[in-house]
Amino acid sequence: MKKFFNASFLLVSLTISFFNANAQTTLKAAPVFENGETQIVPEFKDADKWIRTDLWVETPFDTDGDGKKDRMHVDVTRPYQTETEGLKLPVIYESSPYYSGVAPDVEGGFWDVNHELGQAGKARVHAEVVRTGKRPIISNSLIATWVPRGFIVVHSSSPGTGLSQGSPTVGGENESLAPKSVIDWLNGRAKGYTSADGTEKVKAYWTTGKVGMTGTSYNGTIPLAAATTGVKGLEVIIPIAPNTSYYHYYRSNGLVRSPGGYLGEDVDVLYDFIHSGDESKRAYNNANTRDTEMKNGMDRITGDYNDFWSDRDYLNQMPKMKAALLMAHGFNDWNVMPEHSYRIYKKAKEMGLETAIYYHQNGHGGPPPLEMMNKWFTHYLFGIENGIEKNTNKAFIVRENDAVDKPTSYQDFPNPEAKPVTFYLTKGAPKVGGLITEKSSGEGKETLVDNYSFNGESLARAENTDHRLLYVSPKFTKDIHLSGVPKITIKLASNKSAANLSVWLVSLPWNEGRTAKITDNNITRGWADPQNHASIRKGEPLVPGKKYEVSFDLQPDDQVVKKGQQIGLLIFSSDKEFTLHPEPGTELTVDLEGTQLTLPIVGGKKAFSDAISDN
């Protein structure tokens, strides 16, 4: 049972020492709390007086093949009062594979994407990392914000990076057990040493043992990885744009699909990018991890889900998780896409964990407001009762024209008032067809011809083209609020045994002006491999001319489409920015009557009807 203090008062914890015959008092520095948040304490602000040390924490694994348990390199930054006055404080902890440098961008370092589906691309080049950094500082992130507020900040380099021993595995078990070991050390359950190979031990006598974790991207994945171990002492995590499944990062519904901005990246490319550890261990790590486990498991031929990918999906590892979760993500993050955060948030709610989600409308990265993070860390690490658990609104969404630190609170995401509205297609190719809510008969079928040289934007803007199918709603006379996960079912046939399938949901007319915002044009996207229409684990070659029903989700979104706009459903094959680039010419024929789009609209079908009623 947690004990809390009443945050309605200014809480200043002062330890009073009485000594000598005159009972003279000495006031010791301590954290200060106001309005449920930790405040900057003048005595903690002087960076010259911070104690900065590094050490190595022993883990239970050996992944670099030397017969010894791998040790993780850790740094600690703490107020000097934790040494001179016996002050014990909680920890904010970040772990990363990036602290000691990354591989250079070399020609041929990414996989070639210009080849037919189902074929292997040509061999790629392996870049080497030149390690950077100087002891005892691993990183300066977080310290300027949190140490003056009465937290200790800890960093660690992930396995096989920097001065941490072991091998990178990009989502393997050791990347969960490594931060767990650091948290165990902070609570006296694991061994810490002054050197990578020595025997002189170090203890964390200056902490309460309560730990919060945060970080962005890979640094945001590691808090989740640690939390899935159920480690005692990890009270709260704030992952920002975390990769929660490497399959969902490098594949999509059976399709080989790159993260946005990194065409041709795959799990082995990321391995090379972060492998900054001991040069003498790299050959073993490369042979064992990259050239065996990854080569045999990642399967760029079929894109099917398998045990290799399942082991790198943190959703499958959540049953042990106990930490509170504040998730953060951008709806227009096409690198680590918003499904990564939503799937974990949804599962955490189902498990009964204390959780909330912050979404903004921008791209990759972007933390929750400092005030929000402060309250979460203050509540779970200091035990201050500040209303976090009592807040009935669990979703904090930045609206399209608002500042990122001014989110609008909602009961949940998706918005509970959002209802599924099904849309059907009417013919119009090679120009534009219709998107309507009443099913129409006799629409027949329409065909597109794949050509990766045309990107999605050019296809959406084209008035007439054979390389896409486009279906558009009536123009809105009122705003429409989408909130949730759109779903698509497409009945199609291919003239070849394999084909890419790409879907964009767009707002039209396309705004190409200098004042265009990130939310103006592309609402959401999705991709799939028709060969996986029946199973994500086992695709099958398409029989040319045979119809298949392919159903999948688009990326989650919460967006207000303004009056005067139309929603467009764009169906095409190869996506120049994301998929493989087979030779142009594959034909996809879509059965319009067997195809439907379901959108989560706040207010449901009535809201949509009202928004087009004046047309």
Side-chain angles (χ1 to χ4, degrees), residues 19 30 72 98 166 172 195 216 221 260 279 305 316 331 334 390 449 492 518 566 582:
F19 57 93
M72 298 300 106
Y98 299 135
S195 64
T216 299
T221 299
E279 290 84 354
Y305 192 72
N316 300 332
F331 281 125
W334 301 112
K390 296 178 181 178
V449 181
L492 57 77
I518 196 170
Q566 299 166 278

Side-chain angles (χ1 to χ4, degrees), residues 251-289:
R251 307 288 183 268
S252 189
N253 301 299
L255 198 68
V256 175
R257 190 263 302 142
S258 301
Y262 301 94
L263 191 63
E265 186 185 323
D266 213 320
V267 65
D268 62 330
V269 179
L270 184 53
Y271 167 93
D272 282 345
F273 188 68
I274 65 175
H275 194 192
S276 60
D278 186 348
E279 290 84 354
S280 70
K281 303 294 179 62
R282 292 186 188 181
Y284 174 88
N285 294 345
N286 292 344
N288 186 62
T289 301

Side-chain angles (χ1 to χ4, degrees), residues 440-475:
S440 175
S441 60
E443 296 299 333
K445 54 190 179 182
E446 296 186 325
T447 298
L448 65 91
V449 181
D450 184 28
N451 190 331
Y452 71 83
S453 62
F454 297 94
N455 65 20
E457 177 182 343
S458 64
L459 294 176
R461 294 171 59 186
E463 294 182 5
N464 186 321
T465 176
D466 292 327
H467 303 304
R468 59 91 177 115
L469 301 175
L470 180 60
Y471 305 93
V472 177
S473 73
K475 184 179 293 186

Side-chain angles (χ1 to χ4, degrees), residues 263-460:
L263 191 63
E265 186 185 323
D266 213 320
V267 65
D268 62 330
V269 179
L270 184 53
Y271 167 93
D272 282 345
F273 188 68
I274 65 175
H275 194 192
S276 60
D278 186 348
E279 290 84 354
S280 70
K281 303 294 179 62
R282 292 186 188 181
Y284 174 88
N285 294 345
N286 292 344
N288 186 62
T289 301
R290 184 191 67 197
D291 301 335
T292 302
E293 182 185 7
M294 289 181 175
K295 181 180 179 181
N296 294 339
M298 65 187 208
D299 184 11
R300 285 184 65 83
I301 304 297
T302 72
D304 291 349
Y305 192 72
N306 57 30
D307 290 345
F308 172 85
W309 294 114
S310 177
D311 291 343
R312 286 165 169 76
D313 187 339
Y314 293 106
L315 186 68
N316 300 332
Q317 301 168 27
M318 286 186 67
K320 292 182 180 179
M321 182 170 162
K322 301 180 180 67
L325 170 70
L326 171 58
M327 187 67 83
H329 218 126
F331 281 125
N332 286 284
D333 185 349
W334 301 112
N335 176 5
V336 182
M337 300 186 193
E339 66 180 341
H340 284 268
S341 54
Y342 175 63
R343 60 203 298 272
I344 300 299
Y345 168 70
K346 182 172 181 284
K347 179 64 175 179
K349 284 194 304 177
E350 293 170 357
M351 293 170 60
L353 299 176
E354 184 59 35
T355 185
I357 196 161
Y358 164 84
Y359 272 122
H360 57 80
Q361 302 291 341
N362 296 321
H364 190 51
L370 178 59
E371 176 186 356
M372 185 180 295
M373 295 181 71
N374 192 329
K375 285 186 175 179
W376 277 70
F377 282 142
T378 298
H379 176 71
Y380 288 103
L381 302 185
F382 280 109
I384 300 299
E385 181 58 74
N386 56 15
I388 288 296
E389 291 178 328
K390 296 178 181 178
N391 192 342
T392 57
N393 286 342
K394 299 301 182 183
F396 300 86
I397 297 172
V398 179
R399 294 269 47 103
E400 289 73 7
N401 296 313
D402 291 346
V404 293
D405 62 346
K406 302 295 182 184
T408 299
S409 63
Y410 295 90
Q411 183 179 341
D412 204 356
F413 174 79
N415 190 312
E417 299 301 317
K419 307 299 179 186
V421 179
T422 301
F423 292 83
Y424 304 95
L425 314 185
T426 61
K427 58 189 175 184
K431 294 184 178 180
V432 177
L435 201 58
I436 60 175
T437 56
E438 302 298 329
K439 196 165 187 176
S440 175
S441 60
E443 296 299 333
K445 54 190 179 182
E446 296 186 325
T447 298
L448 65 91
V449 181
D450 184 28
N451 190 331
Y452 71 83
S453 62
F454 297 94
N455 65 20
E457 177 182 343
S458 64
L459 294 176

Side-chain angles (χ1 to χ4, degrees), residues 126-324:
H126 299 294
E128 287 283 328
V129 184
V130 177
R131 185 167 60 252
T132 61
K134 188 175 181 180
R135 294 182 58 199
I137 298 171
I138 295 177
S139 174
N140 287 310
S141 69
L142 305 176
I143 61 173
T145 299
W146 298 111
V147 175
R149 289 177 166 84
F151 296 91
I152 295 165
V153 171
V154 169
H155 303 99
S156 72
S157 293
S158 59
T161 72
L163 297 180
S164 285
Q165 298 171 343
S167 174
T169 56
V170 191
E173 184 181 28
N174 68 334
E175 294 187 3
S176 298
L177 295 178
K180 176 185 184 297
S181 296
V182 174
I183 296 167
D184 280 335
W185 172 72
L186 289 167
N187 283 275
R189 299 187 298 266
K191 298 175 183 177
Y193 297 92
T194 58
S195 64
D197 299 304
T199 58
E200 183 181 352
K201 293 183 179 179
V202 184
K203 293 186 180 295
Y205 53 85
W206 27 255
T207 180
T208 62
K210 289 185 177 293
V211 181
M213 293 188 72
T214 190
T216 299
S217 198
Y218 209 137
N219 302 6
T221 299
I222 295 173
L224 178 62
T228 60
T229 69
V231 61
K232 187 176 181 180
L234 182 56
E235 305 294 331
V236 56
I237 61 173
I238 306 179
I240 303 161
N243 182 337
T244 65
S245 163
Y246 285 91
Y247 184 84
H248 289 76
Y249 190 55
Y250 292 118
R251 307 288 183 268
S252 189
N253 301 299
L255 198 68
V256 175
R257 190 263 302 142
S258 301
Y262 301 94
L263 191 63
E265 186 185 323
D266 213 320
V267 65
D268 62 330
V269 179
L270 184 53
Y271 167 93
D272 282 345
F273 188 68
I274 65 175
H275 194 192
S276 60
D278 186 348
E279 290 84 354
S280 70
K281 303 294 179 62
R282 292 186 188 181
Y284 174 88
N285 294 345
N286 292 344
N288 186 62
T289 301
R290 184 191 67 197
D291 301 335
T292 302
E293 182 185 7
M294 289 181 175
K295 181 180 179 181
N296 294 339
M298 65 187 208
D299 184 11
R300 285 184 65 83
I301 304 297
T302 72
D304 291 349
Y305 192 72
N306 57 30
D307 290 345
F308 172 85
W309 294 114
S310 177
D311 291 343
R312 286 165 169 76
D313 187 339
Y314 293 106
L315 186 68
N316 300 332
Q317 301 168 27
M318 286 186 67
K320 292 182 180 179
M321 182 170 162
K322 301 180 180 67

